[in-house]
Structures are given as structure tokens and as C-alpha cells.
Amino acid sequence: MFTFLEYILIAFYVAGLLIVSRWIGQQAFSWMPVQATAEAQRVDDLFSFLVSIGAFILLGLVGVIVYAIIFHRARQKDYSEGHSVRGDARIELLWTAVPTLLVLWIAFKGFSIYQQLNILGLQQIVHLHTPVESPAYATVANKPQPATETIDVFVKQWEWSFRYPNNLTSKELHLPVNRSTRLNLHAQDVIHGFYVSAFRLKQDIIPNRNIDIVLTPIRSGKYRLKDSQFSGTYFALMEADVYVEPLDTYNQWLTQTTANEPTQTKDWVVAESIQAHKTFFNSGWQTFIPASPAIAKERKVSNDT
Amino acid sequence: MTHDSSINTDGELNNSSNESEQNWRRYFSFSTDHKVIGVQYMAMTFMFFLIGGLLAMIIRAELLTPEANVVDRPLYNGLFTMHGTIMIFLWIIPFNAGLANYLVPLMIGARDMAFPLLNAIAFWILPPAGLLLLSSFLLPNGTAQSGWWSYPPISLQVPPGYINGEFIWIVSLILIGISSIMGAINFLTTIFWMRAPGMTFFRMPVFVWSVMSAQLLQLINLPALTGALILLLFDLSLGTQFFKPLENGDPVIYQHLFWFYSHPAVYIMALPAFGIFAEVLPAFARNPLFGYRSVALATLGIALVSIFVWVHHMFTSATPNWMRMTFMVTSMLVAVPTGVKAFAWTATIWRSKLHLETPMLFAMGGATMFIFGGITGVMLAATPFDIHVNNTYFVVGHFHYVVFNTITMAIFAAIYFWFPKITGRMYSEGWGKLHFWLTFIPANITFFSMHPLGLQGMLRRISSYDPQYQGWNIIASLGAFLLGASTLPFIANIVGSWLYGPRAVNNPWHATGLEWITSSPPPRDNFEEIPIVKRPPYDYGDPKYSVLENSNNRD
Ligand code: HEM
Ligand SMILES: [Cu+2]
Ligand SMILES: [Cu+2]
């Protein structure tokens, strides 16, 4: 199929591809938001690995195609055959086997990183009524990683609130750094999603289900919590501040902030639903507004529904 | 390729094309001819493509700036819901049905579809269903606003009033589903029972394999969606509680039913596109399709594996660990047969005699961008990574690489490739190439930009965003406006060439395949005489297809 010289050239091509794709894989870390949790580091390792493999395949195939475009152009009006090779069992076997192995490798890597995340906490989030719960995966759920704190997260259209172990309820999420915290997620109306991009983790919150997520912040700072599951008209405004801080600052905040902190200084949802529309085009479509429109001004409901 | 097509000495050919011109009205009539129905499908769905594209432009205009300042939020939500719904259910899926309608009987040497009347009925369900969907813009409270997947309970939260956008949405989707099931039965019956003598399965063009596989999925998986929609309709209008979490219903069951169809739907859309690549690439590379058998089997393989991967859309939806891990592996396995296809396309181009005419440009561009979209797809299957980017613009970027940069590009390749066959005229190559570059470059600008946005955490379906995301959003929006403009040379070319283009010969591309041995356009019954098939497909090594003199070959 190929001459000796061609084999050498192909070997050089593959070696070059390996170097370039590995370099691209390293760059991938910088495409991500800051790594604010231990979980983020694991996810970024996986991402870098995926980008390397992806770059290798993409550049490999695109290289061949570009080569063909440059060197295999037909002369005008030449409709004679390129070649009449219909297939080659060895090559076809090779290109079935290689992706299979690659995919198994990626799946294995994905599995082992998933195990290290322990995102769903110590208990299975859904108790299956079927005996399908295979023991092979039991380790994933039961990997012990004691969370030191449990914070209740309440979410409804369109606001977040958090209840701390000392019963303080706030609209800010404060987390101690370098500790695993368990978040107990409760949705009160529709499906919402817990997502802080610097944490990498995301979890849908389904009304009437008990869902936990465990995370370990490792970097102090201020982050944004967003709703990742479309939840209606003011979905885009459903954000909350997240503060990761040293344990004593965290404890200080817990004690100093009196329960039921004063009403928010700004509430965009309320502001927008009260103010006249400022958009270029106004449809005038009425939308669903939760039972008490001035939700944000009310005291938090701190009981799970 | 050859536009020396005006030399037309074939009397018969002239007759049939004149006849077809006199009968242009048949495209507006209730016809049972699969070719007429095919053109009807394609023309109608293109109208919806334009409407869906227009909605996308408004969405992109809104996203030019961080604030919500172009349309109010309810309308924004309606826009992305209708854009997604129209593009999937009224553009790609029915366009593929139209193309397959036109081509399958010709490609397998049949005179028509198995059930011509059913075929016509399946088509005529669509225009009313589409108009019904669009009419919801006129309702006092507008269209459905819960996204094209319409997850409960958000989709059940509609302003009071019996007829609302969500109600209309569900009814029109059920109608479209009924039409698709009728189509699936017809396609499968046709392919199984109507093949010409000698047309064995392994002599069928890959396009026919891909239609067969896609329609198999329609038949197996579509009932799940239809069932889910009916239950949703009951919840919405009759007070049942199938999916209401606060009344002991389960909204996650809806997600399972929905994705049990809507993941395979991706392949119902993509497989015909892969089939188009398998027809166009060999013809313009002058090589047989490399590894024909494995490509054909990979087509069926993709379809079968794709039935068992739906949960990868639900990795964050309270999905237990065992399910996350199982579906991670099955999802990744799809990469194997898909990889086989991509490698086979590349090998077909390798050591070829490339002719870069418009269909080839679109096919090569689409196939190349599919490699990119396929790679990000495997990334998404890796659960821990998906948990970060799920519901962000990374996903939006990924699926537009598939639905626009691959499938819509393939559709354009198909339109140019079979245009001479369908209309009996040649399109203008210069305008075609202009259209290609105006599509290929902006498509990459638009949809590539969405990946960094998603990695950085920009969520989909938001009508306003943090200022940090503005840079890439401006790029994406400008690309999208160019992309919108790119349809103008296309329309000009198609309309102009259909009316005034030079006459086409039977086989302008010197391609193999039965559709090329009949006249352009084909007579009512497709073939003067049903052909007997004696050769393997993609016989490009055969001198019959290698010599210019045979351009008008009718043997
Ligand atoms: C013509 C070029 C196109 C542009 C500029 C475009 C743009 C967009 C944008 C900006 C969104 C995001 C809406 C949001 O999540 O807030 C979107 C969503 C979507 N698009 Fe497109 N699109 C195009 C073509 C297509 C095509 C051909 C399809 C075919 C299936 C398609 C299917 C979808 C779907 C399914 C969604 C998701 C809607 C949802 O989130 O509910 N788009 N598109
Ligand atoms: Cu929400
Ligand atoms: Cu899927």
C-alpha cells in the first residue's frame, strides 16, 4: 500500500501530531474558569485529556483532507478513476480497533475521575425500586468522604436561599474553604439547577426529591451561583453570590449575621417585573408569576415543602 | 462539473423536461408521485428553515449585548422554543423525508413508494401542523416558552386559558409525529419489497442504508415521544398528574420518554446526511467508497447503539450513579461506528482525483466539521465533563456543529448534487461557490464561539448575561448575521437556475447509481424499463463512468 519512504513520512506526521495535540491539551486548562474546588481539578484533568485526544484525531484527519485538496486535484475534465481500491480489510480492522480502544480508555478515565468526585454525597439520590442497583458501582456512592457541614439550599422561581446549621437563613451562600460541605437541595416549584462554573459541578434540583451534592472548595473568593435548568421568564436573573472563606471568617459571618438578614438591597427580578419594559420590542405576553409576586421581599420560607 | 450540457440531442429527454415544465402546477397539487411529494417536502421545509433562521437572528441580536434590550423575556423564551422546534421538526427531519422520498425509489429501481396515497397524506399533514405551530405567535399570550424539549413542570405553567401556546405546540408535534410514523412505514416497506432485480442489500447505495436505519429509529422510538406528549397534554388540559412533582407525578419520567426519542432523532437527522456524503464524495473523488460494506453496516450499527444512550442528556437530572456510568460507556461506543464512517470518507478522498464543484465543497466542508462536532460529542459523553458544560453554550455549540455545520451543509450538498436530476437544469457554479464560502466561514465563526462561552459557564436559554461573556457573543452574532445573508445567493441561484439554467444531461457528474441512468427529470414512472442491477455500488473504477463521452450515458 505504501512505500518505505511514505511510512517514514507518516511516522513523522504522527509524531508531530502527538506533540502538537499534547500541547493543545495543556492549553485546555486555561480555557476553563478558575479551579475553586478539588473537584474542578479532577474535571480539568479529564478535559485536558479529552482535548489532547480530540486534537490528535481532528488534526490527523483534517491534515489528510487538506493534503488531498492540495495534491490530488483532478485536471479539468478528467473524469477517469482516482484508483479503484474498494477497501482493505487490514486498514478497516485497524480503524475499528483503534477507536474502540480509545473509547474504552476515555470511558475508564471518565469512570475513575467520576469516582473521585463523590458529587452525590453518601447516599444514592434516587432509591431504585428495582434490583438493578448493581454492586459493581456501589463503591461510587459509598466512597466515604465525611462532609463537615450540611447547608440547605432552597430554590424557587426566581430566587435562591440558604439555611445554615445554626438555622440562619440568607440569600448568600457561604462556604468554608478546604472542607467538604454537603448541600441539601430543595426546589419548591419547577426543576432548577445548581451550578457554579468555578466549581464545575452541576446538579438539577427536582421538586419533591431529596438531592445532595458534596463539594470541597479550595480557593477563597467570591463566585456566582446560577440556575442551570431553564425555569421560566426570569431564568436569566436567577443568580446568587457564593463566598468561599477561611473557617473563622465563615464562623464569624454565621454568628454576626443575625437570622433573617434584612431585605435585599437589589432584587432584579422584582425590579424588572414591576418596572415598565425597556426592550426595543415588547410582546405584551403575560407569563406565569409565582403566587406571591413580591417573593423576594418576603421572609424566607425555611421549611422544605 | 460539465456544463457542456446544452448539447442535447436526445428527443425523449426534451419531451420529458418540457412536460415537466408545463406541469409545474403539480407541485401545488395533491399528487401521489413520490418525486412531486419529495419536492413538495423540500420546498416547504425550506420555508420553515428561513423562518427558523429569522428567529435565530433575533435571538443573536438579543445576545449582542449583556442586557435584555431587544425583546422582552417572555418573547425571548418563545423565540428559542420556536427556533429549536421549527429547525428540528419542520426543517431537518421533514427535509430528509422529502429527499428520501425523491431518491429512494429511484436509487433502488422502483416506480414509486410502496403506498403512494399514504405518502401524500403524510406530507399533507405537515403544512397545517406547521401553520398551527406558527399561529401561536398570534395568541394573546404567545407561543410555548419552555424550550423545544418542553420539560414539565415548567411547560405546565401556562397563563390561564384553554388554548395557549403550549397546547398548540403539543398538538402540532403530535400531528408531525403521526406524519413521520406514516412515512417510516412507507420507507421501510419500499426498501424491503420494491428493490429492482439484482438490487441486493449490499448493492444498495449507502444513502438508502441510511434512510432505512433512520426510519427504523422513527418506528421504534417515536411512539415514546408521542406517548409522552399525550400524557403532557392530559396534564396540561385535563388535570391529570403524570408529571407534576408536587402532586406525586414524576417529571423525570417525561425526560426519559422524551430523550428515548430525541436522542435517536439526532441520528434520524444525521444518518441521511452521512448517506449524502457517501454519495457525493466518491463521485467527485472518482474513487469507490472506501470500505463500502463496513460503512453500510456502521450505518445500521449507529442506529442500533443510539437507542441505548438517551440518558446522556440527563446526567444532571437526579440520575443514579450506575445509570450515569452505563450510559457514559454506551454513548462513547457510538463513536466507533461513527469513526468508521469518518475514516472511510477520508480514505475515499485519499489518492483521488478531486473535483471541487459546489456539492463536493459542501460535502467535504460538512464532513470535516462533523469530525469536530463528533469529537465534542464524545467529550460530552464523559460524565464528569458533561456535568460542567451541560446546559451551557458548549452544548449549543456542539449540536449546531452537528445540525447546521454537518446536516444543513449536507442538505445543501444534496440540493446542488441532485438539482440537475430534479429540475433538468444546471445551477450556476459561481453562485454555488459563493454560497459555500459565505456559509462555511460564518458557520464556523458563529458556532465555534459558543464553545469557549460554554466552557466559561455561559448557560443556554438566558436572555441576558454577565458582561464577561460579551466578546465571543459579538463574534457569534456577527457570524450568524452573515450566515443569514448566505441564503440569499442560494435562493437566487436555485430560483434563477430552475427557470433559466442550461439544460442538464442525465448524468452530469458521471456518477454511479440508478437515479443517473434515467432522464433528468425522470418520467412519471421513473424508468422506461426497470433496470437489472449487476454491479456493486460506487463502481468508479469502471471505465463506463470514467470517460467523458459517456456523460449522457443511457445504456
Ligand atoms: C441558521 C443558523 C442558526 C443559528 C444562528 C442558530 C442559533 C441558535 C441560538 C443562538 C440558540 C440558543 C438559544 C438559547 O439557548 O438561548 C439556538 C438554539 C437551538 N437551535 Fe439553533 N441556530 C441555527 C440553526 C439551527 C439549525 C439548522 C437547527 C436544526 C436542528 C437548530 C436547532 C436548535 C435547537 C434545537 C436549539 C435549542 C433550543 C432550546 O434551547 O430549546 N438551530 N440556535
Ligand atoms: Cu430556576
Ligand atoms: Cu443524545
Side-chain angles (χ1 to χ4, degrees):
Chain A
M1 179 105 193
F2 296 111
T3 65
F4 182 68
L5 182 70
E6 280 170 329
Y7 275 115
I8 300 221
L9 287 177
I10 291 172
F12 269 110
Y13 181 54
V14 171
L17 278 180
L18 282 172
I19 295 169
V20 172
S21 50
R22 164 125 186 101
W23 179 80
I24 296 178
Q26 290 304 311
Q27 300 308 300
F29 286 101
S30 66
W31 306 339
M32 288 292 223
V34 291
Q35 297 177 332
T37 54
E39 291 78 12
Q41 296 178 324
R42 318 297 323 136
V43 171
D44 290 4
D45 289 344
L46 178 66
F47 178 57
S48 161
F49 168 76
L50 292 170
V51 169
S52 303
I53 292 188
F56 180 78
I57 293 171
L58 181 71
L59 294 178
L61 289 180
V62 170
V64 173
I65 293 171
V66 169
Y67 178 90
I69 290 177
I70 298 173
F71 295 105
H72 294 325
R73 295 285 285 280
R75 262 173 284 118
Q76 272 268 310
K77 311 245 165 189
D78 172 8
Y79 297 102
S80 60
E81 63 184 85
H83 62 66
S84 54
V85 178
R86 302 192 139 260
D88 180 328
R90 281 170 310 162
I91 293 186
E92 283 167 60
L93 211 64
L94 183 75
W95 76 35
T96 312
V98 169
T100 309
L101 293 176
L102 270 182
V103 152
L104 290 178
W105 187 23
I106 298 173
F108 180 77
K109 191 120 179 168
F111 178 71
S112 74
I113 284 177
Y114 184 71
Q115 273 187 307
Q116 296 165 33
L117 298 186
N118 190 31
I119 28 192
L120 295 182
L122 298 180
Q123 74 196 91
Q124 283 277 24
I125 42 167
V126 181
H127 285 287
L128 296 162
H129 312 291
T130 49
V132 199
E133 210 158 343
S134 82
Y137 297 123
T139 48
V140 182
N142 296 336
K143 192 162 177 274
Q145 191 186 23
T148 47
E149 296 255 349
T150 300
I151 297 172
D152 283 306
V153 176
F154 297 99
V155 58
K156 61 181 182 180
Q157 287 166 318
W158 287 274
E159 90 177 327
W160 296 93
S161 66
F162 309 93
R163 189 176 64 195
Y164 294 84
N166 68 352
N167 265 334
L168 170 80
T169 300
S170 166
K171 286 176 140 192
E172 292 172 357
L173 177 58
H174 286 249
L175 297 168
V177 72
N178 289 330
R179 283 173 179 246
S180 296
T181 302
R182 177 197 303 275
L183 299 176
N184 228 309
L185 309 170
H186 314 273
Q188 296 173 19
D189 37 40
V190 299
I191 302 174
H192 299 268
F194 179 95
Y195 180 49
V196 179
S197 64
F199 293 178
R200 304 295 185 276
L201 301 181
K202 185 182 284 126
Q203 176 61 54
D204 285 7
I205 313 171
I206 294 165
N208 245 346
R209 281 209 198 181
N210 196 14
I211 296 178
D212 280 358
I213 182 171
V214 175
L215 45 89
T216 319
I218 54 166
R219 187 177 172 281
S220 297
K222 185 182 171 191
Y223 306 96
R224 287 297 269 178
L225 166 65
K226 295 180 183 178
D227 183 0
S228 58
Q229 187 62 267
F230 178 69
S231 59
T233 309
Y234 300 105
F235 167 63
L237 301 177
M238 266 197 71
E239 304 190 343
D241 286 329
V242 181
Y243 296 87
V244 174
E245 52 208 8
L247 188 61
D248 37 336
T249 322
Y250 170 75
N251 282 329
Q252 224 173 11
W253 179 80
L254 271 188
T255 48
Q256 280 179 1
T257 315
T258 48
N260 308 324
E261 58 179 303
T263 48
Q264 289 290 106
T265 41
K266 273 186 208 161
D267 196 299
W268 296 110
V269 172
V270 174
E272 220 187 81
S273 60
I274 291 168
Q275 274 168 18
H277 291 289
K278 286 177 306 192
T279 50
F280 172 74
F281 184 83
N282 182 1
S283 70
W285 294 352
Q286 299 293 307
T287 52
F288 178 87
I289 296 291
S292 49
I295 38 171
K297 286 186 191 134
E298 288 186 351
R299 244 206 62 191
K300 301 287 79 52
V301 186
S302 48
N303 300 322
D304 190 3
T305 40
Chain B
M1 209 172 267
T2 46
H3 301 167
D4 48 347
S5 40
S6 40
I7 337 139
N8 191 340
T9 47
D10 195 324
E12 245 168 49
L13 185 94
N14 262 334
N15 280 343
S16 62
S17 34
N18 287 342
E19 188 189 321
S20 78
E21 259 164 46
Q22 287 152 13
N23 288 348
W24 59 269
R25 281 190 194 82
R26 67 203 167 122
Y27 291 122
F28 296 91
S29 69
F30 186 88
S31 167
T32 54
D33 179 350
H34 73 98
K35 299 185 291 299
V36 174
I37 296 174
V39 173
Q40 287 173 330
Y41 264 108
M42 292 189 270
M44 181 204 70
T45 54
F46 187 74
M47 297 297 157
F48 282 106
F49 174 63
L50 293 180
I51 296 170
L54 217 57
L55 303 184
M57 301 302 117
I58 305 173
I59 295 174
R60 284 310 329 171
E62 175 63 77
L63 296 176
L64 264 173
T65 55
E67 309 82 36
N69 47 15
V70 174
V71 290
D72 56 24
R73 295 193 196 270
L75 179 54
Y76 183 88
N77 298 341
L79 286 175
F80 73 69
T81 301
M82 294 299 274
H83 164 75
T85 308
I86 288 174
M87 287 300 198
I88 291 179
F89 296 105
L90 288 164
W91 160 238
I92 294 190
I93 292 180
F95 185 94
N96 282 340
L99 187 69
N101 237 300
Y102 196 97
L103 290 176
V104 165
L106 285 168
M107 284 180 160
I108 62 173
R111 295 213 182 275
D112 204 330
M113 296 280 282
F115 310 112
L117 186 62
L118 185 71
N119 202 17
I121 294 173
F123 169 74
W124 283 104
I125 290 177
L126 287 179
L131 289 178
L132 179 67
L133 186 71
L134 288 180
S135 73
S136 61
F137 273 107
L138 304 175
L139 291 174
N141 290 329
T143 63
Q145 293 161 40
S146 48
W148 76 279
W149 58 39
S150 212
Y151 279 1
I154 193 81
S155 53
L156 300 173
Q157 272 189 347
V158 290
Y162 188 63
I163 300 293
N164 52 56
E166 189 64 34
F167 181 88
I168 301 266
W169 185 92
I170 297 174
V171 171
S172 53
L173 252 74
I174 291 175
L175 286 175
I176 294 171
I178 291 171
S179 154
S180 290
I181 290 179
M182 290 179 171
I185 292 168
N186 214 341
F187 281 120
L188 290 172
T189 314
T190 307
I191 294 171
F192 278 114
W193 298 113
M194 312 271 290
R195 279 170 289 132
M199 178 59 84
T200 61
F201 275 98
F202 280 114
R203 281 184 191 159
M204 276 185 345
V206 170
F207 183 80
V208 180
W209 275 90
S210 67
V211 171
M212 185 180 79
S213 310
Q215 297 299 329
L216 212 56
L217 290 177
Q218 290 278 36
L219 212 53
I220 296 172
N221 298 69
L222 187 48
L225 176 69
T226 311
L229 290 179
I230 291 173
L231 297 186
L232 191 67
L233 191 68
F234 287 173
D235 271 11
L236 183 72
S237 332
L238 301 181
T240 56
Q241 309 163 2
F242 293 108
F243 303 130
K244 294 175 184 164
L246 301 176
E247 282 141 88
N248 288 321
D250 188 351
V252 178
I253 297 290
Y254 176 87
Q255 299 185 6
H256 281 290
L257 291 170
F258 178 84
W259 289 114
F260 187 73
Y261 172 69
S262 294
H263 176 80
V266 173
Y267 291 98
I268 292 166
M269 296 187 267
L271 287 174
F274 300 163
I276 292 165
F277 295 152
E279 302 306 310
V280 175
L281 296 178
F284 291 85
R286 313 307 305 160
N287 282 346
L289 179 67
F290 196 93
Y292 161 75
R293 262 172 192 258
S294 35
V295 174
L297 291 175
T299 306
L300 204 57
I302 291 173
L304 294 182
V305 182
S306 76
I307 297 178
F308 302 99
V309 305
W310 77 93
V311 177
H312 65 213
H313 296 276
M314 302 166 60
F315 281 150
T316 63
S317 306
T319 303
N321 292 320
W322 71 267
M323 235 190 232
R324 284 174 157 179
M325 294 299 105
T326 320
F327 281 89
M328 172 169 80
V329 177
T330 53
S331 303
M332 284 183 178
L333 284 179
V334 186
V336 176
T338 314
V340 167
K341 287 193 164 245
F343 292 129
W345 302 330
T346 314
T348 304
I349 292 171
W350 178 252
R351 292 215 170 138
S352 59
K353 290 198 172 160
L354 280 183
H355 295 257
L356 298 184
E357 316 293 325
T358 308
M360 184 60 161
L361 288 175
F362 273 101
M364 285 178 71
T368 309
M369 291 191 287
F370 176 70
I371 298 170
F372 186 84
I375 288 168
T376 51
V378 174
M379 292 181 169
L380 287 170
T383 315
F385 176 65
D386 178 74
I387 289 174
H388 171 47
V389 292
N390 175 265
N391 273 348
T392 69
Y393 263 83
F394 190 90
V395 172
V396 182
H398 155 74
F399 74 65
H400 281 86
Y401 258 82
V402 178
V403 294
F404 190 91
N405 294 8
T406 305
I407 304 176
T408 304
M409 294 282 277
I411 286 177
F412 285 132
I415 293 175
Y416 286 108
F417 188 57
W418 283 290
F419 185 82
K421 181 54 60 185
I422 295 173
T423 64
R425 307 253 185 188
M426 286 308 294
Y427 63 84
S428 145
E429 199 59 65
W431 286 84
K433 292 206 164 102
L434 175 71
H435 174 219
F436 170 76
W437 290 110
L438 268 179
T439 310
F440 183 77
I441 297 172
N444 280 295
I445 295 176
T446 306
F447 299 120
F448 180 82
S449 314
M450 296 182 177
H451 294 84
L453 283 172
L455 290 174
Q456 286 294 319
M458 176 167 163
L459 290 159
R460 73 194 286 193
R461 298 179 174 171
I462 52 178
S463 36
S464 55
Y465 54 83
D466 297 351
Q468 66 169 117
Y469 301 126
Q470 193 176 9
W472 284 110
N473 268 308
I474 291 178
I475 298 175
S477 289
L478 295 183
F481 300 145
L482 273 178
L483 208 50
S486 76
T487 47
L488 298 178
F490 172 71
I491 297 171
N493 194 357
I494 293 304
V495 174
S497 304
W498 200 323
L499 295 176
Y500 309 110
R503 294 245 174 256
V505 294
N506 290 350
N507 187 2
W509 316 121
H510 317 280
T512 67
L514 295 184
E515 76 269 31
W516 300 108
I517 64 175
T518 187
S519 62
S520 301
R524 173 64 178 89
D525 286 333
N526 293 349
F527 302 95
E528 318 266 89
E529 216 177 297
I530 291 294
I532 297 172
V533 185
K534 299 194 187 102
R535 300 160 179 282
Y538 310 104
D539 221 359
Y540 287 99
D542 189 298
K544 180 179 139 192
Y545 295 104
S546 311
V547 210
L548 186 58
E549 285 74 56
N550 281 339
S551 64
N552 205 353
N553 75 75
R554 301 161 48 78
D555 43 355

